[in-house]
Amino acid sequence: MSGRSGAVSTSTTLRDAPRFDRGRHRFAVATASATLVLIFVGGLVTSTGSGLSVPDWPLSYGMLMPPMVGGVFYEHGHRMAASVVGFLTLVLAVWTARSESRPGVRRLAWAALAAVVAQGVLGGLTVIFLLPTPVSVAHACLAQTFFCIVIALAYSTSREWLAAPSGAADVRGLRGAALAAAVIVYLQLLIGAVMRHIGAGLAIPDFPLAFGRLLPPVSSVPVLVHFAHRVGGLVVLVAVARLFLRARRAGDPRFARLASALLGLVLFQIALGAATVLTTKAVTPTTLHVATGAAILGGCWLAALRSFRLLRPRPSTAVVAAPVARPVTQS
C-alpha cells in the first residue's frame, strides 16, 4: 500500500512540475531587452533636455502622433517606446497567468504589470508638474526596479531555473557577493538619478581629480551629490571585482563568464563617466552611461538570482564537539 501511494505521489509531482515554455521564455527575454532599450531612450530625453518638449499628457499637443521634430522626437519617441514595453508586459502577464503553474511566478508577472502602469503614471506626473525632482528620481528608480522584475521573470522561465539544482555548496560566497553587488549598483543608480535630475552632472568639472584635488570643497549640494556618485563608482568597481574573483575561484563557467562581462562593463562605465564630464555632457556618452548602468544592475541581479537558485548556502564552519563517553566503572 505504501509503495502504491509513493508511486501516486511521484506521478503527481511530475505532473504538477512546471515545464519549459520556450515561447514564453523568449518573450520574457525580449521584454527585458526592450526595457533596456527604453531606459536608453529615456536617457536620451534627459541628455537632450527634451523632458518638456511635449507639455501635455497623455496626448502630445492634443494628438496621438505629433510632428516628430526637435525635442518632440525624443520625448514622444520615449512615450512610444514605453507604450511598446507596456503592451509587451501586458501580454507577458496574461500569458503567464494562463499557463504558469507556480503562484509565485504568476504574482511576479502581475507585479511587473503594476510596475509598468505606475511607471507610466509617474512619467505623466513629471510632465504635468514640470519635472519635479522627487517624481523624476522615482521615475528613474522604478524603471530599474521594473527591469529587475522582468529579468526575474525571464530567468524563472529558463531551462536552467526549471532544471533540478545541482545542490553544490556556495563555498566561495558567490551568493553574498552577487547580492551585495546588485544592491550597491542599485544605490549607485539612485545617486546617479538624483545627480542628473538636480543638474549636478558638471558640478565637478574636471576628472579624475575634483577641482584639482582628491577631495573637493563641499560648497553645495550638487558638488556633494556629484562626488558621492564618483565614490559610488569606486565602490561598485570593488563589489564587482570581488564577485569576479569569487566566481573565478569557484570554477563554474556560468558564473565566471557573467562576472567577467560585468567587470568589463564597469570599467567601460567608468570611462563613460569620465567622457561625460570631459565632453561637458555630450549626448552619446551621457546616454550610454545611463544604459550601461542599467545593464550592470541587470547582470548583477541575474548573478544573484542564479547563485541563489543553483547553490546551497555556505556550510557552517563551526564544529560541534561530540559528547565524550565516560568509561563505566564497576563498583
Side-chain angles (χ1 to χ4, degrees):
M1 185 69 179
S2 60
R4 182 177 179 182
S5 63
V8 172
S9 175
T10 302
S11 63
T12 302
T13 302
L14 291 174
R15 185 176 65 249
D16 295 339
R19 297 180 179 179
F20 176 63
D21 186 335
R22 184 189 303 273
R24 183 156 57 91
H25 172 63
R26 288 182 174 178
F27 193 86
V29 172
T31 304
S33 302
T35 302
L36 184 58
V37 173
L38 176 59
I39 291 172
F40 175 81
V41 175
L44 275 175
V45 173
T46 308
S47 300
T48 58
S50 304
L52 292 177
S53 295
V54 179
D56 52 338
W57 184 86
L59 296 177
S60 299
Y61 290 101
M63 296 178 281
L64 289 175
M65 190 66 190
M68 301 291 280
V69 294
V72 177
F73 174 81
Y74 298 106
E75 170 59 18
H76 189 72
H78 179 230
R79 296 186 186 188
M80 293 172 64
S83 298
V84 171
V85 171
F87 177 73
L88 292 176
T89 307
L90 174 62
V91 173
L92 181 60
V94 174
W95 192 348
T96 301
R98 292 177 62 88
S99 61
E100 177 59 60
S101 62
R102 294 167 290 175
V105 178
R106 293 198 299 269
R107 287 193 293 268
L108 193 63
W110 290 123
L113 183 60
V116 81
V117 170
Q119 180 72 343
V121 172
L122 283 175
L125 292 177
T126 60
V127 173
I128 293 172
F129 293 104
L130 306 179
L131 305 179
T133 297
V135 178
S136 297
V137 171
H139 185 61
C141 292
L142 184 55
Q144 307 293 344
T145 303
F146 170 73
F147 185 40
C148 289
I149 293 174
V150 179
I151 288 173
L153 269 173
Y155 184 55
S156 66
T157 57
S158 67
R159 287 187 186 274
E160 183 176 284
W161 180 281
L162 295 173
S166 63
D170 183 21
V171 294
R172 297 297 181 183
L174 279 172
R175 288 159 53 116
L179 184 59
V183 171
I184 289 170
V185 172
Y186 188 90
L187 293 176
Q188 169 70 347
L189 294 181
L190 170 60
I191 297 172
V194 173
M195 185 182 72
R196 282 172 66 83
H197 291 290
I198 66 172
L202 293 176
I204 299 177
D206 52 338
F207 185 90
L209 297 177
F211 296 106
R213 309 177 185 180
L214 288 176
L215 296 176
V218 183
S219 55
S220 64
V221 171
V223 170
L224 178 62
V225 172
H226 185 113
F227 188 68
H229 188 61
R230 291 194 184 189
V231 173
L234 294 177
V235 176
V236 168
L237 177 60
V238 170
V240 174
R242 175 172 172 255
L243 173 61
F244 168 75
L245 291 175
R246 295 196 175 192
R248 286 198 62 183
R249 290 169 185 164
D252 189 330
R254 293 172 297 184
F255 294 103
R257 285 194 295 264
L258 179 56
S260 298
L262 284 170
L263 185 58
L265 278 176
V266 170
L267 295 174
F268 180 58
Q269 178 75 334
I270 292 173
L272 286 172
T276 298
V277 173
L278 296 176
T279 62
T280 61
K281 293 177 62 177
V283 171
T284 299
T286 303
T287 307
L288 283 175
H289 191 60
V290 174
T292 305
I296 294 169
L297 174 64
C300 290
W301 176 236
L302 177 59
L305 291 172
R306 175 175 277 176
S307 62
F308 275 82
R309 178 60 177 170
L310 301 181
L311 302 174
R312 291 185 291 107
R314 187 191 308 193
S316 174
T317 56
V319 178
V320 180
V324 179
R326 295 182 178 180
V328 178
T329 58
Q330 295 181 352
S331 56

